[in-house]
Amino acid sequence: IAAAAKCSLFSPLRRLKTLSLNRIAHLSSLDSTLFEGLEYGLEELDVIDCKNVTSVVSGAFAALTKLKSLCIIEARIDTLHTSSFTGLTSLSTLRVESSEVQKIEVAAFAHLKRLKHLGLSSNRLSLLNRAILGGLVSLEQLNCDHNESLVVEDDPFEYLKNLRTFSRTATLDLE
């Protein structure tokens, strides 16, 4: 989606509740201009198989305060930054899966107070600790399957009082 087109592409769709962006080859980053006009009602956003997406720009979702579910699947996002998910005060489900994420900055999820389901499977995560998961007071499910080098340290679950399910499996090498 060209930069000029991104500004007004969804503006006429102010009542849109669900948006799926699938296999958009020219989409290289997620930024706020892409979602202009959707702040009034968008509740579910899926970005799937957009392999050229390499970043979530700071404040990309800041205006989407009604968004309840965000899925970013099969992208190429190296790092989830502290400000990647700013403004998502209603978010209950976040899935960033199969997207080559290697690093999550400290407090990247801290302001997601209503988040219940966090899916981080099939990435390249190497570390999960209290500083990363801090603030997720409502979290019930955490899926970290298929992050082969994942190290869990610093008792990240101590303050996750509502956590009911933690999944951490790896692919078996049977050679």
Side-chain angles (χ1 to χ4, degrees):
I1 298 177
K6 284 199 307 190
C7 297
S8 60
L9 185 61
F10 301 115
S11 293
L13 305 173
R14 296 192 183 280
R15 293 185 179 187
L16 192 69
K17 297 262 186 227
T18 302
L19 175 63
S20 292
L21 302 174
N22 299 321
R23 296 183 178 164
I24 300 175
H26 294 93
L27 187 62
S28 61
S29 67
L30 301 177
D31 65 62
S32 61
T33 59
L34 181 59
F35 307 111
E36 283 180 6
L38 298 176
E39 58 272 7
Y40 303 104
L42 193 66
E43 294 179 1
E44 185 176 332
L45 174 60
D46 296 333
V47 180
I48 299 173
D49 199 15
C50 294
K51 291 184 171 54
N52 290 327
V53 172
T54 58
S55 68
V56 177
V57 176
S58 178
F61 309 109
L64 301 178
T65 58
K66 294 182 179 186
L67 198 69
K68 295 176 183 174
S69 175
L70 173 60
C71 297
I72 303 170
I73 300 172
E74 293 187 41
R76 292 190 176 143
I77 301 169
D78 181 64
T79 303
L80 298 179
H81 299 283
T82 302
S83 58
S84 292
F85 305 108
T86 300
L88 296 175
T89 55
S90 298
L91 200 69
S92 63
T93 299
L94 174 61
R95 294 175 55 206
V96 183
E97 300 175 346
S98 301
S99 293
E100 301 184 16
V101 177
Q102 294 181 38
K103 180 182 179 188
I104 301 173
E105 289 184 354
V106 170
F109 308 124
H111 49 279
L112 301 176
K113 302 296 183 196
R114 293 185 182 176
L115 194 70
K116 291 183 178 187
H117 309 281
L118 178 58
L120 298 169
S121 68
S122 301
N123 283 298
R124 296 181 181 173
L125 291 174
S126 58
L127 179 65
L128 193 63
N129 62 28
R130 186 181 307 163
I132 291 170
L133 296 177
L136 293 176
V137 296
S138 299
L139 194 66
E140 296 175 3
Q141 285 185 312
L142 175 59
N143 182 348
C144 293
D145 289 343
H146 307 291
N147 284 284
E148 305 307 319
S149 303
L150 184 65
V151 173
V152 178
E153 67 177 31
D154 193 27
D155 194 11
F157 309 116
E158 182 178 356
Y159 299 106
L160 301 179
K161 302 298 182 194
N162 291 311
L163 190 66
R164 302 290 177 256
T165 306
F166 171 64
S167 182
R168 165 51 176 122
T169 59
T171 304
L172 293 176
D173 186 1
L174 300 175
E175 290 185 29

